[in-house]
Amino acid sequence: MTTPSPSPDPATRYVRPTERMDRWFNASVRWLTEHGVSLLGSRVLTVRGRRSGLPRSTPVNLLVHDGERYLVAPRGNTEWVRNVRAAGEAELRVGRRVERVRLTELPAGERPVVLRVYLRRWGWEVGRFVEGLTKASSEDQLAAAAPGFPVFRLAPAA
């Protein structure tokens, strides 16, 4: 297995999925979630493409922490992240249940707490995308990595 290499600049960090297994896993999770089976909080995020204007969908892990809901991008500045930044709103879906949400990106200084909780829950799944970060990483390590891990707080869309 090849370890994906991210961009060296944390602000533009992007880890491209390189393994066929990554594509198969995402397709499987997306299919199950679209058919009403949420795997550990999985949702299908659908957001308007920033260039095409067409709906774009991808499976994501919905994190609930201290009464707030978050989406974390463990592979960095992915297409869904760039589309969310442009659109500001999206849909989360499990089966037939669809929720419109507004997404607000957290500043890097607020991300470490959310990243730690995310790694506790899904570190086993995203471990090879996070360059050695774990749930046991120090506060300094999480703070240094935070600019390369977009985190969005969710709220109901108006």
Side-chain angles (χ1 to χ4, degrees):
M1 174 175 20
T2 306
T3 301
S5 62
S7 164
D9 177 9
T12 60
R13 178 183 168 275
Y14 172 60
V15 180
R16 185 177 306 281
T18 59
E19 301 292 327
R20 185 175 300 162
M21 187 61 126
D22 294 335
R23 289 176 188 46
W24 179 86
F25 182 78
N26 276 347
S28 298
V29 170
R30 179 178 170 179
W31 188 90
L32 286 168
T33 304
E34 285 175 339
H35 288 84
V37 179
S38 174
L39 303 174
L40 295 173
S42 65
R43 299 290 188 274
V44 173
L45 174 75
T46 302
V47 63
R48 185 175 38 85
R50 65 194 180 284
R51 292 187 300 236
S52 70
L54 299 173
R56 302 294 183 193
S57 298
T58 191
V60 293
N61 293 322
L62 178 63
L63 175 67
V64 179
H65 175 63
D66 286 344
E68 298 282 349
R69 298 180 314 152
Y70 300 93
L71 293 181
V72 175
R75 292 190 303 110
N77 292 287
T78 61
E79 292 296 324
W80 76 258
V81 166
R82 290 178 246 175
N83 288 338
V84 162
R85 285 174 177 153
E89 291 190 355
E91 290 181 350
L92 289 177
R93 176 183 308 269
V94 176
R96 293 182 186 173
R97 291 177 306 203
V98 178
E99 176 188 13
R100 295 254 345 130
V101 294
R102 185 172 33 88
L103 297 103
T104 304
E105 190 166 5
L106 296 183
E110 295 179 24
R111 296 177 190 173
V113 170
V114 177
L115 291 175
R116 181 172 312 283
V117 175
Y118 186 87
L119 290 168
R120 281 185 190 136
R121 178 102 192 234
W122 290 290
W124 61 271
E125 178 185 339
V126 300
R128 69 182 191 280
F129 300 128
V130 296
E131 294 91 42
L133 289 178
T134 70
K135 62 185 177 186
S137 294
S138 72
E139 294 302 319
D140 289 342
Q141 289 171 317
L142 290 173
F149 290 85
V151 176
F152 297 88
R153 180 180 292 119
L154 279 65

